[in-house]
Amino acid sequence: MAILLNCILFFLASLKSLIQRRSVGGSKICAFFIWFFLIFSTLLTVFYGEYFIVSDSILSATTLLAIAQTNLSEGLSYLKDNFLHPRSILLSLAFICVLFSFLLYVYKSHTQAKLTTYSKSNPLLLSLIIVLSLFLLYKTSSNYITEPFYGLKNGLDSYVQFKEQSAKRAALLGDEKCQDSGFPGLYILVLGESQSKRHMGAYGYKRNTTPWLSSLKDSNNLVLFEQVFSNHTHTVPTLTYALTAKSQYDNSVLENSPSILDVAKCAGFSTYWVSNQLKYGAWDTPITVISSSADEQFFINQNLGYSTNSTFFDENLVDELYKIKNIPRKTLVVVHLMGSHSAYADRYPKSFSLWGNSKKIDTYDNSISYTDFVLKNIYDWAAKQPNFMAMIYLSDHADAVDKNLSHDSSQFDWSMTEIPMFIKFSNSYVKEHARLLHALKQNRSKPFTNDMLYDSMLSILGIKSLFYNQANDITRPQYHGDLKKLYTLHGVRSFQDYGK
Ligand SMILES: [Zn+2]
């Protein structure tokens, strides 16, 4: 609120100066600064004010980072979902009216000043207001305006370092024990998007949104995990920790943490990345870097950051899978879905309008039902392959759709972290690794955050690595599963407060 007041103070001070300059004259430099402050304060007020009104929260670094990593069409989806809101539209209209009135006032004052003698107002007072405002904004090293931008810079810097250190990470793996380790076979890791387990029939939701998964619940080859949470609520930070050795529970540095693809390649796996998400954002993210390291990459949405055209439904990914011929002896395929990414109604074909299209929740449920259909198709392809071993599915984070929120961490709600996760094994894997499967079933109701996926995946794939934290491995009978020891938002929120 103080910042908003300060912005308004700026606005009024600048406007007052403008009136006086118009009336009594002044230099062009003076005019430049006055207009600069006027526009600057106006934009800041609109930007922070609208965000606050729409989200009931203050802009944070992670939100800015998410915006920086998005593209035009995702940005438009975000605007469509969040800012085409009655409150926001009313605020915009009110602001335009106020601005127009002020400008009219300036114009009238200017006209009248030509006719009457206009007394100079107190320049000392004006200077004091501007100096005070500058002091409040810049002299304090940490405030609500500067903090998100410092955080944005730090986040982008660490991502740049992750990219620059690719060669170093590969060198670290060069002579270590991963070589020639790993259980042969085809493994598929499917990364979901914005899927809440609260909206899945298989997890007890009132609508049967997951007929395929529900039909498998009694299968001996399926492990459906009951208490899995996301390590963050934004896609890039969540997947960065899920796919690398870095987790919330160690002190390692991200740029020195190899990805699951790095270690799989070291162990002799052929790696594939099949994605319906866009390859390019405004900046390279660790996800871009990790996907680029795959031996083969298929990005069905080739519009280079300018469109997430709704014709690119997730089932098109299955066509790409069928293009993979002569699957090598050891293979890891990562499939990255568009899932339930907002706007939900753009994520499924019309034939999947199963629960109606009028309410947001209905369109969200349609997208969940469609993802279940896509997962079935992916599994059907995998099961046909002679060396299929396991399909692992989990979502990056959830959406708090029941509270009319998406997954903005500045509006954090625990339901944003409640994600589904399951593994469907082949008969041959179950036979060869009965103890591992038994431990997984024992642990399926233990709490788990998805930054521990990397360590658990290593065991499922049988890969040995120096970059392995056994405490994070849910395939071990000793896995702690203590909710109180778990965190989200990268260590900021403890699950000790879960549900509060
Ligand atoms: Zn996401």
Side-chain angles (χ1 to χ4, degrees), residues 9-10 28 39 73 99 107 116 138 219 252 263 327 349 383 409:
L9 202 65
F10 251 136
K28 282 186 177 173
I39 293 166
S73 75
L99 194 65
Y107 176 75
T116 58
Y138 297 107
S219 162
S252 60
V263 286
I327 291 169
S409 60

Side-chain angles (χ1 to χ4, degrees), residues 192-194 233-236 238-239 277 336 341 395-397 399 407:
E193 174 60 64
S194 305
T233 62
H234 292 240
T235 307
V236 173
T238 301
L239 291 183
Q277 299 224 355
H336 196 185
H341 194 296
S395 184
D396 56 349
H397 52 78
D399 268 12
H407 54 263

Side-chain angles (χ1 to χ4, degrees), residues 19-52:
I19 295 165
Q20 283 162 5
R21 203 194 81 78
R22 284 278 190 181
S23 310
V24 299
S27 73
K28 282 186 177 173
I29 298 170
C30 179
F32 170 79
F33 278 109
I34 290 166
W35 276 110
F36 173 78
F37 282 127
L38 189 65
I39 293 166
F40 179 70
S41 58
T42 304
L43 289 177
L44 269 184
T45 311
V46 171
F47 186 56
Y48 278 82
E50 288 229 11
Y51 186 83
F52 183 75

Side-chain angles (χ1 to χ4, degrees), residues 30 37 53 66 82 117 187 203 217 228 321 346 352 383 473 486 500:
C30 179
F37 282 127
I53 295 275
N82 295 283
T117 308
Y187 300 82
Y203 280 95
K217 273 186 88 171
V228 179
L321 294 175
D346 292 343
F352 270 83
D473 186 355
L486 301 183
K500 290 177 191 169

